[in-house]
């Protein structure tokens, strides 16, 4: 009676033109289903033969407005039909039927002609999965929890011949995945249990607990050899084996992406990040790879791994991957640009068609052999080159996989990979995190250091637009590998004014570590140059580090300051004449930097003595006589009496204005500054032109 | 009496208190200035090698430039690598005053410096050195915006350089180009034929700025121009009508121009 009333009510409401009002089963059995008992015993299941489509087809929803549903013939490489449809769910290919949803309705179209064949209201708002067995189509729909309502699902069987709902089961849990096996319909409940229903009657036939310690169930796949399930790893329903996918893919996607999402028909993130592999159940041995490659899709990037986790190839497309389907032969790819590719397991690829429209979502036949093509596949680029190009790709969405590329480069045994890491670090398109990662990885490289050493030959050049090299990345790597060949170049960068002040401590440390005794002179010279200068006022740590490296202060700091100028003097310049300097150079002790006792003491800056120079040690009166000789010039500043008169040693020189002494008599041009103009000034002192020895100041 | 007066003066000066504003290092620079050349240069070199405060360093470098001491080239080369722009610029100028053509390569390196002031100093220094071999890099610097390279090219360049210089017309500001042309025209070793070609080129450029330039240059008695070139300048200026006037300027027989 109740069922009859329900049926009448359904008819009265008008439940769709093509699907007549049908009986629903198990409405009153909700309570019993909540307390099912699931066993750990896995039933033996053989797959149902998959519906053979009349031809190999692809179904897609276009992205541009007005959106369309189209079906493409992969063998004939042409669009079979298209119709305007603002679809909600990604179209599913079920044999000769294309199923999608729109406006709360489940819609089915003939795959070859596009003729409508199915139209019914969705039992629940979201279509999660669809499958087909013969003349029956099975749908899993779901309503998410809201307010007081918990998540609920519906498993519905549609009879295409009779045009009615054959049966329907309501479930108070989240239901995901849908596979068919031996006349049974299998679905996942709450990522935990495998629930089986009779395909004909809809009666529940069993429940198996899948989720166990170390196992989770986010997806189901029925293969020719058995049922597989899992999350990131793969488990077989029969057997204890687990296939752990070794691919170190970032963002840790699940294999085959979880089945419990409604896949939008329009462009979405679903499937743009995916880990894909063709699998098979190998009886007691557990799951295996059917092909020999695990594919990692990350928007435009495709990375292929061998079963042992070795990186096999990298390929970057010019558009995001809308859908990819693995097979033992490789991977079939539909790009958002509408171009179709088949990628072999070794990474070679060829285009197998184009839809002529941008695609939001698509469905491909699963596990099908590749489409025949006269066009030979394009081989994948050499791995080192492909990784570098991926790392240099300016697409910021690809950052996780760019970092993966940097990690992979650092592990390569080719010396060229070191240069590639440096190129990534220097690239303007590299964000800060990638630069930091490449610098960190450079430190682990022990081969290919030649390019790091030669990179130091680069200096900033305004005319050519050359920037300074990336010392922050290069120097630590060279220090880590004790690359002493870099010392001369490091010295040049230490004295290069274009070197970033923040890199100076790095250079000092590096020279201390690599340079040995040969680095002491330039370091001491650098310290002498800047210890009183404002140039490093903002970088006091550099000078402190220098002082620490060079050791305790010496007793003669001038010796360090007057050290030979090393590689800065070009070979074409002749050696300068000997310098008449009271602080004569002393040879530096040939000791190691570690020997602090040998380090010269650095003193405060010295100034010239106020006593007469050593070579002019005569008493002042005879000195004045010398200066008063016929050809002697008058000193311009300070006045001679302040320098020479021993009675006034404490007298400070008068203000600068008074130091303007009379202009010198230009008897010897070499003694007069080139542009010195005679100053006209009345001075009480004039040169004494006398030929007889003067008795001294008393004679005045 | 005279002696007593001198002692009194000295004593008064001693009691006047300490002078202000001179630290010992600056004092040393002044002492170097006062000392005989060789000694003074040695003192300056020693000062610079020891490392001084900014003001002392700059004064020492400036004094070396005044003196034009070749003995200081080592330390000057060192200071062309100094992190302070002012110090580098002074070092390059000082190198330019050494009159040592062998330093042309070193000084030309300053054209690649990141600081405009240093590039300018390098260009001046190359001109001072007479480094003709640096003409090509000066042309490169001119194309990169180093305005001071123009007069340097004008002083150093040959006819090939002049042709390359002409190619920068329209790419480099006119005032910069004119500074270079002025230097070319002032050359005694450049023949009238080349100078007349310059005048013709400038006439093609036209405009008020060029007009004023030609008028002023033609009038300048100290400009080393032959009468032929001077007359050509005046005539070309007359043919270029200054902006805003209705009649072109009239060239006079004496080579000057009546606006």
């Amino acid at each position: 009676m109740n069922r009859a009333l329900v049926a009448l009510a359904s008819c009265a409401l008008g439940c769709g033109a093509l699907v007549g009002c049908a009986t629903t089963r198990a409405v009153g059995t909700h309570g019993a289903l909540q307390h099912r008992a699931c066993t750990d015993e896995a039933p033996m299941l053989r797959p149902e033969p998959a519906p053979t489509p009349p031809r190999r087809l692809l179904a897609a929803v276009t992205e541009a407005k007005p959106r369309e549903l189209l079906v493409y013939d992969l063998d004939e490489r042409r669009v079979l039909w298209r119709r305007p449809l603002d679809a909600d769910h990604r179209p599913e290919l079920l044999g000769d039927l294309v199923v999608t949803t729109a406006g709360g309705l489940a819609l089915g179209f003939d795959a070859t002609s596009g003729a409508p064949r199915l139209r019914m209201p969705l039992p629940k708002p979201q279509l999660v999965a669809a499958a087909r067995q013969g003349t029956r189509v099975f749908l899993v729909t779901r309503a998410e929890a809201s307010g007081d309502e918990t998540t609920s699902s519906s498993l519905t069987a549609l009879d295409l011949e009779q045009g009615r709902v054959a049966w329907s089961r309501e479930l108070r849990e989240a239901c995901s995945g849908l596979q068919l096996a031996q006349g049974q319909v299998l679905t996942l409940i709450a990522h935990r249990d495998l629930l089986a229903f009779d395909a004909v009657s809809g009666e529940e036939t069993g429940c198996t607990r899948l989720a166990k310690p170390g196992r989770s169930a986010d997806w189901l796949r029925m293969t020719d050899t058995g049922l597989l399930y899992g999350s990131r790893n793969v488990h077989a329903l029969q057997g204890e084996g687990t296939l752990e996918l070794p691919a170190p893919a970032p963002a840790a996607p699940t294999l085959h992406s979880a089945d419990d999402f409604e896949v939008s028909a329009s462009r979405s993130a679903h499937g743009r990040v995916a880990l894909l592999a063709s699998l098979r159940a190998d009886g007691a041995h557990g799951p295996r790879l059917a092909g020999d490659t695990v594919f990692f899709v990350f928007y435009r990037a495709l990375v292929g791994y061998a079963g042992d986790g070795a990186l096999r190839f990298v390929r970057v497309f010019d558009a995001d991957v809308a859908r990819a389907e693995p097979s033992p032969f490789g991977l079939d790819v539909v790009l958002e640009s509408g171009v179709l590719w088949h990628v072999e397991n070794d990474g070679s690829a060829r285009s197998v068609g184009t839809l002529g429209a941008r695609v939001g979502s698509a469905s491909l036949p699963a596990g099908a052999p590749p489409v025949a093509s006269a066009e030979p596949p394009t081989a994948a680029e050499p791995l080192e080159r492909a990784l570098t190009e991926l790392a240099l790709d300016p697409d910021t969405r690809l950052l996780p996989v760019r970092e993966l590329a940097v990690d992979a480069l650092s592990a390569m045994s080719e010396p060229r990979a070191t240069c590639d890491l440096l190129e990534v670090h220097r690239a303007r398109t590299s964000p800060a995190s990638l630069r930091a990662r490449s610098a960190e990885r450079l430190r682990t490289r022990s081969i290919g250091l030649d390019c790091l050493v030669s990179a130091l030959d680069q200096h900033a050049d305004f005319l050519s637009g050359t920037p300074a090299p990336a010392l922050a990345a290069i120097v630590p790597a060279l220090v880590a590998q004790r690359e002493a060949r870099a010392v001369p170049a490091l010295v040049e960068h230490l004295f290069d004014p274009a070197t970033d002040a923040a890199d100076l401590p790095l250079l000092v440390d590096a020279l201390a570590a690599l340079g040995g005794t040969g680095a002491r002179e330039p370091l001491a010279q650098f310290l002498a140059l800047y210890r009183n200068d404002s140039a490093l006022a903002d970088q006091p740590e550099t000078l402190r580090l220098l002082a620490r490296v060079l050791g305790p202060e010496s007793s003669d700091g001038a010796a360090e300051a007057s050290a030979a100028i090393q590689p800065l003097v070009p070979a074409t310049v002749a050696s300068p004449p000997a310098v008449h300097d009271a602080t004569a150079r002393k040879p530096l002790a040939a000791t190691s930097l570690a020997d602090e006792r040998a380090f010269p003491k650095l003193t405060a800056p010295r100034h010239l003595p106020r006593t007469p120079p050593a070579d002019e040690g005569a008493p002042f009166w005879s000195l004045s006589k010398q200066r008063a000789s016929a050809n002697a010039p008058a000193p311009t500043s300070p006045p001679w009496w302040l320098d020479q008169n021993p009675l006034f040693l404490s007298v400070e020189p008068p203000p600068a204005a008074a130091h303007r002494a009379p202009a010198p008599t230009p008897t010897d041009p070499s003694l007069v500054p080139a542009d010195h103009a005679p100053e006209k000034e009345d001075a009480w002192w004039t040169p004494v032109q006398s030929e007889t020895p003067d008795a001294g100041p008393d004679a005045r | 009496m005279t002696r007593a007066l001198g002692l009194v003066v000295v004593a008064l000066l001693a009691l006047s208190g300490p002078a202000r504003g001179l630290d010992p290092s600056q004092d040393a620079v002044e002492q170097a200035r006062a000392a005989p050349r060789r000694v003074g240069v040695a003192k300056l070199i020693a000062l610079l090698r020891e490392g001084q405060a900014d003001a002392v360093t700059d004064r020492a470098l400036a004094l070396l430039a005044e003196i034009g001491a070749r003995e200081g080239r080592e330390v000057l080369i060192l200071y062309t690598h100094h992190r302070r722009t002012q110090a580098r610029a002074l070092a390059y100028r000082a190198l330019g005053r050494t009159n040592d053509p062998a330093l042309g390569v070193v000084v030309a390196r300053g054209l690649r410096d990141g600081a405009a002031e240093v590039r300018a100093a390098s260009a001046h220094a190359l001109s001072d050195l007479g480094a003709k071999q640096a003409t090509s890099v000066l042309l490169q610097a001119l194309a990169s915006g180093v305005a001071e390279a123009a007069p340097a090219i004008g002083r150093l360049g040959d006819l090939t350089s002049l042709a390359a210089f002409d190619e920068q017309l329209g790419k480099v500001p006119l005032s910069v180009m004119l500074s270079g042309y002025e230097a070319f025209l002032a050359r005694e070793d450049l023949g009238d034929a080349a100078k007349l070609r310059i005048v013709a080129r400038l006439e093609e450029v036209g405009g008020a700025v060029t007009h004023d330039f030609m008028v002023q240059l033609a009038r300048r008695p100290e400009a080393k121009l032959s009468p032929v070139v001077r007359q050509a300048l005046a005539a070309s200026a007359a043919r270029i009508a200054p902006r805003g006037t209705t009649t072109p300027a009239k060239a006079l027989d004496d080579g000057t121009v009546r606006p």
Side-chain angles (χ1 to χ4, degrees), chain A residues 461 499 534 576 637 653 670 675, chain B residues 19 34 37 54 74 83 97 112:
Chain A
D461 186 327
T499 297
S534 67
S637 163
S670 68
D675 290 336
Chain B
R37 183 184 184 279
D54 297 14
E74 257 192 38
R83 295 187 69 84
R97 304 300 293 274
R112 301 177 185 277

Side-chain angles (χ1 to χ4, degrees), chain A residues 143-402:
Chain A
E144 295 296 339
S146 65
D148 295 333
E149 295 293 321
T150 58
T151 300
S152 62
S153 305
S154 173
L155 176 58
T156 308
L158 306 175
D159 191 321
L160 292 176
E161 276 188 344
Q162 299 182 17
R164 63 180 183 88
V165 175
W167 52 263
S168 177
R169 303 281 281 179
E170 294 288 322
L171 303 158
R172 283 278 180 92
E173 293 117 322
C175 191
S176 59
L178 191 63
Q179 297 292 321
L180 303 173
Q182 284 181 253
Q184 298 185 78
V185 178
L186 310 171
T187 187
L188 277 175
I189 298 294
H191 299 274
R192 185 187 63 228
D193 301 324
L194 178 68
L195 206 54
F197 299 87
D198 184 86
V200 174
S201 65
E203 292 290 339
E204 184 179 328
T205 56
C207 176
T208 303
R209 174 60 49 86
L210 296 181
K212 298 170 186 173
R215 293 190 174 198
S216 56
D218 290 329
W219 50 266
L220 279 179
R221 284 293 182 275
M222 195 69 201
T223 69
D224 293 342
T225 49
L227 182 70
L228 300 174
Y229 68 95
S231 180
R232 179 67 182 265
N233 295 331
V234 186
H235 314 287
L237 188 62
Q238 297 292 330
E240 291 297 320
T242 294
L243 176 63
E244 293 186 12
L245 293 179
T254 61
L255 185 62
H256 292 296
S257 65
D259 283 340
D260 63 347
F261 297 109
E262 180 184 37
V263 182
S264 171
S266 56
R267 186 173 182 266
S268 69
H270 185 90
R272 270 60 171 177
V273 179
L275 198 61
L276 303 164
S278 180
L279 303 167
R280 62 184 176 87
D282 194 10
H285 300 285
R288 293 286 184 269
L289 289 177
D292 59 357
T293 304
V294 177
F295 301 94
F296 176 56
V297 171
F298 199 93
Y299 295 100
R300 292 191 296 113
L302 175 64
V303 183
Y305 295 92
D308 59 358
L311 191 59
R312 185 168 272 173
F313 69 86
V314 169
R315 188 171 275 276
V316 179
F317 298 104
D318 55 7
D320 289 357
V321 173
R323 184 70 188 268
E325 195 64 47
S327 73
F329 316 98
L331 187 74
D332 293 310
V333 175
V334 182
L335 299 180
E336 285 187 0
S337 59
V339 177
L340 312 179
W341 286 84
H342 176 76
V343 182
E344 303 281 350
N345 285 317
D346 62 359
S348 59
R350 61 174 182 272
S351 173
V352 294
T354 177
L355 303 180
R358 292 194 63 81
V359 168
S361 61
S363 284
L364 285 161
V371 174
S373 173
E375 188 182 318
T378 309
E381 278 208 59
L383 192 56
E384 168 259 322
R385 197 64 239 155
L387 286 169
T388 306
E389 287 182 8
L390 175 58
L392 292 172
D393 195 300
D395 190 341
T396 53
R397 300 174 308 156
L398 298 183
L399 184 58
V401 78
R402 289 166 72 184

Side-chain angles (χ1 to χ4, degrees), chain A residues 396-434:
Chain A
T396 53
R397 300 174 308 156
L398 298 183
L399 184 58
V401 78
R402 289 166 72 184
E403 291 177 346
L404 182 154
V406 164
D407 293 345
L409 277 171
S410 70
M412 297 189 82
S413 58
E414 283 90 340
R416 171 88 201 144
T418 305
C419 307
D420 295 334
L421 285 170
L422 183 61
E423 188 182 349
V424 171
H425 181 83
R426 288 193 290 210
R428 289 181 185 173
T429 55
S430 295
S433 63
L434 197 63

Side-chain angles (χ1 to χ4, degrees), chain A residues 461-462 495 499 501 528 530-534 561 570 574 576 580-581 585 606 608 637 648 653 670 675 698, chain B residues 3 10 19 34 37 42-43 46 49-51 53-54 73-74 79 81-84 88 97 106 112-113 119 144:
Chain A
D461 186 327
F462 169 79
F495 283 92
T499 297
Y530 294 109
R531 59 188 173 182
N532 296 313
D533 197 280
S534 67
H580 290 285
D581 189 350
R585 294 178 194 176
R606 294 170 57 115
L608 293 173
S637 163
F648 294 93
S670 68
D675 290 336
D698 291 338
Chain B
R3 178 167 173 263
V10 169
R37 183 184 184 279
K43 289 181 194 304
R49 283 205 173 129
E50 287 172 358
D54 297 14
R73 59 189 171 188
E74 257 192 38
Y79 272 80
H81 295 267
H82 201 278
R83 295 187 69 84
R84 258 189 326 108
R88 292 201 304 280
R97 304 300 293 274
V106 174
R112 301 177 185 277
D113 196 282
R119 295 193 293 270
S144 299

